[in-house]
Amino acid sequence: MRIGVDYYPEQWDRELWIKDADLMKKTGVRLVRMAEFAWCRLEPREGEFDFAWLDEAVRMFADRGIGVVLCTPTSCPPLWFYEKYPDAVMTEQDGQRTRTGIRGHRCINHPAVRRHCQRIVEEMTAHYAEDPAVVAWQLDNELEAYFCFCDHCAERFRDWVKNRYGTLEAVNRAYGNVVWSGEYSSWEQVRLPFGHYPSAWLNPAYMLDHSRFASDRAIEFVRWQAAIIHERCPAVPVTTNVWFSEHMPDFYKEFEDLDFISYDNYPAARPPREDAAYFSHAFRLDMMRGVKRRPFWVMEQLSGGLGCWAPMGRMPEPGLIRGYSLQAFAHGADTVLHFRWRTANIGAEMHWHGLIDHSNVPGRRFNEFADLCKTADALGEARGTAILSEAAILFSFDNEYAFKIQPQTEGYSYLEQPRRLHRAMAGLGMNVDVISSGEDLSGYRIVCAPEMYVGDAAAAERLHSFAREGGTVILTARSGVKDKYNNAVMAPLPGVYRDMVGAYVSEYDPIGRDTVSVRFSDGTVLSAGQLCDILEPEGAETLAVYDGEYFRGKAAVTRHRYGKGTVYYIGAVGEQAMYDRVVSEAVKEAGAEYIPGLPPSVEVTVRRGKGKKFYFVFNLSPRETATDIKGRRVSLAPYEMKIITEDDREGAAAQK
Ligand code: GAL
């Protein structure tokens, strides 16, 4: 396991570089990432490149045995570039150009941006091609599927639509453009979704395509840059760093041409006090691992209190610098770089805290980081070990975009149910893969398929055959609602899933922020909200009924034996306890392995390999706690992460 840091030599004097590099070496830092925003120093004037300062920094780290991750600075063209191409900035939805002075505001579809990005990337990669100190490349920085409304994007979008549908008739049919007289009679009429806010007034099929287009363009940019780097530095792995933002590109496609996943990990500096919220963060780590079902990197890791676009937030409590990094390892990371080594003394992010504060006196958080470096070294043998999961949760970017376009009901969010299902499994100490709904399901015992909303015939078929062959599936409301274009399907819900659910929805009620009670057969009453499917079983057994509203007594949660497997359907968006209950029943029935009786704040993940099992046991609460892990009593201080190693005879036998 390797620990690194993000470092900005261009922001500090050289004398400090040396002191920093010495301290990094002493502390056990193995990697340093640099240069993602340094274009104005790498090409101070058009066509004049200066790598001397970066060479010096690279050498300084290399001489101390610290590997270097270099970044292409393409998220931040210098001002001389914008002076020459003022229209190369992004254009807002109201047609106004954004302004320079921040970062990430270039339009990646502008030809001049491409030309200049190509040149800096070629120069940089050619310069460092033979340098053994460079152990990885990060291209750009947190590239999003931006919505830009410039003429170049309009042109690209029109091409994208033409390419997908071929004829205007086909587009008109796919979008249902007859509504409100929106039928295209020439390609010029295919425009970007200007001006309408909220965009819910716009056609949802067209809007979904626009989101897919924005994602495809970001991915095209990533592939294009990756190809340049791969050509010049074929032996060095290439990545880009992603985060959970408003406009995420489809990560599954984005990483296809990249060598490894990297993710910017900023869990809550002060975890929620309520038990119900504890596991929401691990969901993201499991999703990152699930992108390639391989180990990933954290390229930026929380190191201090946040502050830039919001006022300063709380500092991570004692235990969390170490605990959160180890949590990333526990969920499949093998390298974690902390953002950032030093808190900036200049620039907009000077209140986004790194490991060393403005005072330049290494303090509590730094000391904890130093301790983490030691633990990570000692965990070396866990590197390359696997996370084997019997359970998976399906995620789809089409659904992510479609629910943003039409948010269903007050307070509804696509991620809410996947996270609650994840929390329910994490509460049982299970490893869970959060994977693409496009993935093969073999090897799992239990698959949660929440909100299978936008039509995906292949995914539906995989779920059917998985259940038929003996798997357990948990489906939820808002499944089978749309076709692949994002138009409503004319069939009782859950549409294509009706046969496997063994029930249909006679009516649904989007109750928004209202709540309704749901009564389980043993008398337990739980609360549900947002959206209620009123179910009519046709073969399924009713596990819970509504206990209120005009649909009192109607089925809310069902279970159906389908083929050799079992299908659960959760028809209302319930409180956490509803998912805990259904999941624990499903897990036990499916015969999946779990750890009974874990306190709600304790998360356990297991990595296996090299004849060993590594149990990562993390107390995500500000209170001391104790629990039994495989017959062993484990006491945990507030926010403590303990790693318990045991021999893995079955694993060893399986490996032979
Ligand atoms: C990330 C970004 C970093 C830094 C950090 C803290 O999203 O990649 O450059 O801005 O957030 O704000």
Side-chain angles (χ1 to χ4, degrees), residues 6 8 33 36-37 75 103 138 140-144 241-243 264-266 299-300 306-309 339-340 349 352-353:
D6 300 312
Y8 298 88
R33 181 194 70 166
E36 77 274 24
F37 301 126
S75 82
R103 63 176 178 183
Q138 171 192 306
D140 209 82
N141 188 73
E142 291 190 343
L143 180 70
E144 292 190 54
N241 56 335
V242 296
W243 68 302
D264 294 349
N265 188 32
Y266 292 100
M299 203 54 105
E300 297 180 15
L306 314 183
C308 175
W309 47 88
F339 184 88
R340 44 194 279 165
E349 287 194 337
W352 193 286
H353 293 81

Side-chain angles (χ1 to χ4, degrees), residues 84 372 586:
K84 190 162 174 191
L372 164 72

